[in-house]
Amino acid sequence: MAKGSATPTTARRRAIAVALPTYVPHRFLRLLAAIPKIARRRQRQRSLIAASPSFRPPLRTSEKPRCGIQSRTPSPTGEVEAPPKPKRPEAEQPPHEEPAAAAAAGKYWTHRHSLFSLYDRGVRMDAEGWYSATPEAIAAAQAARASPAGLVVDAFAGVGGNSIQPLRSPGNPVAGISVSCRGCYVIAVEIDPRKVELARHNARIYGVEDMIEFVVGDFFRLAPSLKADLVFLSPPWGGPSYSQTPIYTLDMLKPKDGYTLFQAAQKIAGNIIMFLPRNVDINQVEELSWLCSPPLDFESEENYVQHRFRGITAYFGNAAW
Ligand code: ADP
């Protein structure tokens, strides 16, 4: 028998049909699509860390487990207890903030110095303040229209971003400690007493506390009893969802529409500044100046911070240049 008469073995290939669960390709494709995004985010954070040693990555509002498997311990009653939430490292907490405000900081945390340049000296915010405070550069540009030695009413003062600016020394925009060569005085009206406390604290940090009279109350009730040279209005826009509408109309302002608001302000002064969403119907805003006879001078300005379109300021009366 010939050696090796065995026929050369040929590997037999058989096609095996594997039934994949339908969600697997979707998950896989989603993962593939996310890879460049994750890489870009890491790259951006690395370059920010390189550019500024004090940079801290933005806080996440919730820390989710990365994979689905979690060990759960049954409690004595038989119920499954939720696993303890992983604690964010101390270094990532915004300093001097209450826990709710710190959690709300989220993506706004990286903008903290554009909201308050003296943030690191102990400025305090609340959850709403993080998304609604007027960026400092915009507040300063608006404040430049206040006449020296004038009386300004800040109708919706929030955590104080706009009340502080008319009182800062224009020659010392960064330090902010040597104050008020302008001689203004501000009446800051705010309905929420907790915000008034934060605004007072922030004014102290900027060294202008003594030049602001804080009033806790409803602007619409107080307006008939106030008189001033200029009224500043940064009314609630209705939260971050304002930007989702293509055209923001004045009846969307809270707690009352723009016309009622403007008429209340007119009782205080003929010079009015309004800070409004970037998608506001500007024709409607201009029409407000016709509520007066003769019509008030009007000017509008688009406000950008770091090339981002943040809002529109409308100037009426002498505040319009
Ligand atoms: P949004 O984020 O929707 O723009 P804001 O937080 O900017 O709203 O609102 C501005 C401030 O106006 C808030 O601090 C709020 O407490 C205050 N406020 C709301 N209604 C009144 C009112 N009637 N009188 C005085 N202050 C008010």
Side-chain angles (χ1 to χ4, degrees):
M1 204 169 145
K3 208 175 168 191
S5 65
T7 50
T9 50
T10 48
R12 279 197 184 173
R13 295 203 182 144
R14 271 193 298 167
I16 303 169
V18 179
L20 285 173
T22 47
Y23 63 85
V24 170
H26 289 278
R27 280 189 160 187
F28 181 64
L29 288 175
R30 277 221 308 264
L31 181 66
L32 273 185
I35 288 171
K37 224 179 186 179
I38 296 167
R40 270 203 306 278
R41 194 187 307 145
R42 292 218 173 124
Q43 176 68 36
R44 208 166 43 233
Q45 283 190 355
R46 252 184 256 129
S47 57
L48 276 170
I49 289 166
S52 143
S54 63
F55 170 78
R56 277 178 258 171
L59 299 181
R60 295 197 196 129
T61 47
S62 64
E63 293 280 355
K64 288 186 191 157
R66 286 192 172 210
C67 50
I69 302 163
Q70 285 273 322
S71 66
R72 295 189 164 203
T73 340
S75 71
T77 58
E79 286 168 1
V80 177
E81 282 174 7
K85 276 194 179 169
K87 226 183 153 212
R88 193 181 287 140
E90 264 325 295
E92 277 195 353
Q93 299 276 4
H96 49 255
E97 298 283 15
E98 286 168 9
K107 64 177 179 174
Y108 303 102
W109 166 247
T110 47
H111 304 301
R112 62 198 181 283
H113 295 122
S114 75
L115 295 176
F116 286 96
S117 59
L118 300 190
Y119 181 84
D120 294 341
R121 295 197 192 176
V123 165
R124 288 178 60 202
M125 309 278 268
D126 63 355
E128 276 174 18
W130 277 108
Y131 65 78
S132 67
T134 309
E136 191 169 287
I138 298 178
Q142 294 162 339
R145 305 292 183 101
S147 54
L151 178 60
V152 178
V153 169
D154 180 6
F156 302 89
V159 294
N162 284 106
S163 304
I164 290 169
Q165 290 310 314
L167 306 167
R168 293 186 72 193
S169 159
N172 190 10
V174 177
I177 292 299
S178 80
V179 287
S180 195
C181 50
R182 310 196 68 214
C184 268
Y185 199 83
V186 174
I187 297 175
V189 180
E190 168 56 56
I191 205 162
D192 180 346
R194 285 169 311 152
K195 283 192 172 55
V196 169
E197 277 320 300
L198 296 176
R200 199 192 301 276
H201 168 87
N202 295 338
R204 201 174 303 133
I205 287 187
Y206 278 79
V208 297
E209 187 194 5
D210 295 344
M211 281 152 280
I212 305 178
E213 181 75 38
F214 290 96
V215 182
V216 180
D218 179 348
F219 171 69
F220 293 95
R221 282 173 177 263
L222 291 166
S225 57
L226 293 172
K227 283 278 169 258
D229 299 300
L230 176 81
V231 186
F232 180 77
L233 304 168
S234 179
W237 296 354
S241 61
Y242 75 86
S243 58
Q244 273 143 37
T245 175
I247 295 182
Y248 188 97
T249 51
L250 289 179
D251 56 325
M252 291 162 131
L253 287 174
K254 304 277 182 288
K256 296 192 182 179
D257 65 87
Y259 301 96
T260 314
L261 174 62
F262 194 84
Q263 280 171 330
Q266 270 185 311
K267 294 194 179 112
I268 303 173
N271 308 316
I272 297 169
I273 299 179
M274 277 177 111
F275 186 46
L276 296 162
R278 59 179 183 259
N279 51 346
V280 74
D281 181 344
I282 199 67
N283 294 326
Q284 268 193 347
V285 180
E286 185 167 7
E287 279 167 25
L288 291 174
S289 60
W290 305 345
L291 292 175
C292 221
S293 178
L296 294 171
D297 286 342
F298 170 78
E299 186 198 340
S300 68
E301 170 185 271
E302 294 186 347
N303 302 116
Y304 293 81
V305 177
Q306 288 160 4
H307 309 290
R308 285 187 58 220
F309 189 12
R310 301 298 301 270
I312 288 182
T313 306
Y315 299 96
F316 300 89
N318 291 341
W321 280 344

